[in-house]
Amino acid sequence: MSTFAEIDTETNKVIQVIVAQSKVWCEYHLDGTWVKVNENKNKPSVDWIYHPDKDNFSIEQLYPSWTLNDMCEWVSPVAIPEDANQRDYIWNEDTQSWDEPDPENLTWPEPPKVKIINNVSIKTQLERDLQTIRTDLQTTHTQLEEDLQTTRTDLQTTRTQLNEDLQTTRTQLNEDLQTTRTDLQTTRTQLNEDLETTRTQLNEDLQTTRTQLNEDLQTTRTQLNEDLQTELEVTKLKLLNTEARLNMVEQTMTSILSKLNV
């Protein structure tokens, strides 16, 4: 956690000081222009002045003649007397000097924001600044608690919504799974029926083919037997014819031989 100051962009005055997570957090939740307070530099309060060139804060200018040093402290043109810790002094802008106040007639020269420079006044200012910081811290703490509560509520709402979405998705998936199982069972039944039908058809086709083959085989056998019988008859006739011719030749040879012997 760091300290951040909201700045009036027209006057560079500090509007409020809080402790927050980041500059982005401040701008998002609280709007406005915010500056991170450097831990090694001045700690501002409300109405302090922001100096962008030094990235530091200071109280408002006490007197026109006073100048701002590198540490963002207003410095008088004349050094504070060495015994300022034991005695009170006020700055006199007219004479440009440190004067001791008149106890019986304490009148502060202009501007009215003149301060006695001693340890008591510094302590008072520091106590005021501390009280301002405490108030700012309390405001920041309250704001953070409200933001935390809002975040918790949003988280609970988101968690509830996610649970509802998860339950809906789970129900939908279960329904889709059941539908898929039903479709799978239907497909399996249909495939089994188709397979049985195919088997029956194949068996019938096989039986028909077998019968047809047997008939064709029987026809072929019958035809072959008939052809063989015919061939045998023809062969027998040829043999008989050949035998007759041989007999005739033998008779002719016998006759010729008989004539030759005579």
Side-chain angles (χ1 to χ4, degrees):
M1 304 290 282
S2 301
T3 303
F4 295 88
E6 184 182 5
I7 306 299
D8 185 331
T9 54
E10 294 184 358
T11 62
N12 279 348
K13 277 190 174 184
V14 175
I15 300 174
Q16 62 174 321
V17 180
I18 66 172
V19 176
Q21 298 173 351
S22 65
K23 179 180 176 182
V24 174
W25 185 94
C26 295
E27 293 174 344
Y28 179 79
H29 290 277
L30 305 175
D31 294 330
T33 301
W34 293 84
V35 175
K36 182 178 181 179
V37 178
N38 193 315
E39 294 182 357
N40 299 322
K41 296 184 179 180
N42 297 336
K43 302 300 183 290
S45 296
V46 177
D47 289 337
W48 279 43
I49 306 298
Y50 175 64
H51 303 275
D53 57 329
K54 301 180 184 297
D55 189 25
N56 203 349
F57 300 85
S58 74
I59 60 174
E60 293 186 80
Q61 187 176 15
L62 297 176
Y63 298 98
S65 64
W66 287 29
T67 57
L68 198 67
N69 63 14
D70 292 336
M71 298 179 66
C72 272
E73 296 174 341
W74 292 108
V75 180
S76 61
V78 177
I80 302 175
E82 295 181 357
D83 60 350
N85 289 334
Q86 289 81 32
R87 305 177 65 180
D88 291 339
Y89 289 94
I90 61 173
W91 174 256
N92 189 324
E93 183 68 12
D94 294 333
T95 62
Q96 296 285 292
S97 62
W98 291 97
D99 299 337
E100 292 186 43
D102 183 0
E104 296 181 358
N105 185 23
L106 279 177
T107 57
W108 300 95
E110 292 295 334
K113 57 188 173 183
V114 143
K115 298 181 181 180
I116 298 177
I117 308 301
N118 57 26
N119 287 339
V120 176
S121 62
I122 292 175
K123 181 179 179 181
T124 302
Q125 181 62 36
L126 287 175
E127 288 177 348
R128 290 176 181 174
D129 293 345
L130 180 60
Q131 183 61 35
T132 300
I133 292 173
R134 284 175 177 169
T135 302
D136 293 340
L137 283 175
Q138 183 62 35
T139 301
T140 301
H141 184 266
T142 302
Q143 182 65 39
L144 287 174
E145 285 186 341
E146 293 175 354
D147 292 343
L148 180 60
Q149 184 60 35
T150 300
T151 301
R152 283 175 176 169
T153 303
D154 293 343
L155 182 60
Q156 184 61 34
T157 302
T158 302
R159 182 177 295 166
T160 303
Q161 184 64 41
L162 286 174
N163 285 333
E164 292 176 354
D165 293 344
L166 179 61
Q167 186 61 34
T168 301
T169 302
R170 185 176 293 163
T171 302
Q172 184 64 41
L173 286 175
N174 285 332
E175 293 176 355
D176 292 344
L177 180 60
Q178 186 62 35
T179 301
T180 302
R181 284 174 175 170
T182 303
D183 293 342
L184 182 60
Q185 184 63 34
T186 302
T187 302
R188 183 177 294 166
T189 302
Q190 184 64 42
L191 285 174
N192 286 334
E193 292 176 355
D194 292 344
L195 180 59
E196 187 62 32
T197 301
T198 302
R199 280 176 178 171
T200 302
Q201 185 64 41
L202 285 174
N203 286 331
E204 292 176 355
D205 292 344
L206 180 60
Q207 186 64 33
T208 301
T209 301
R210 184 177 293 165
T211 302
Q212 184 65 41
L213 285 174
N214 286 332
E215 291 176 355
D216 292 344
L217 180 59
Q218 186 63 33
T219 300
T220 302
R221 282 176 178 173
T222 302
Q223 184 65 40
L224 285 174
N225 286 331
E226 291 176 354
D227 291 344
L228 182 58
Q229 188 65 34
T230 300
E231 188 68 29
L232 284 174
E233 292 293 334
V234 171
T235 302
K236 283 180 180 180
L237 290 174
K238 286 182 179 180
L239 285 173
L240 291 172
N241 188 25
T242 301
E243 185 177 357
R245 285 182 180 180
L246 285 174
N247 288 332
M248 288 179 64
V249 170
E250 183 178 357
Q251 290 176 2
T252 300
M253 288 298 294
T254 302
S255 178
I256 291 172
L257 287 174
S258 295
K259 288 179 179 182
L260 287 176
N261 289 329
V262 174

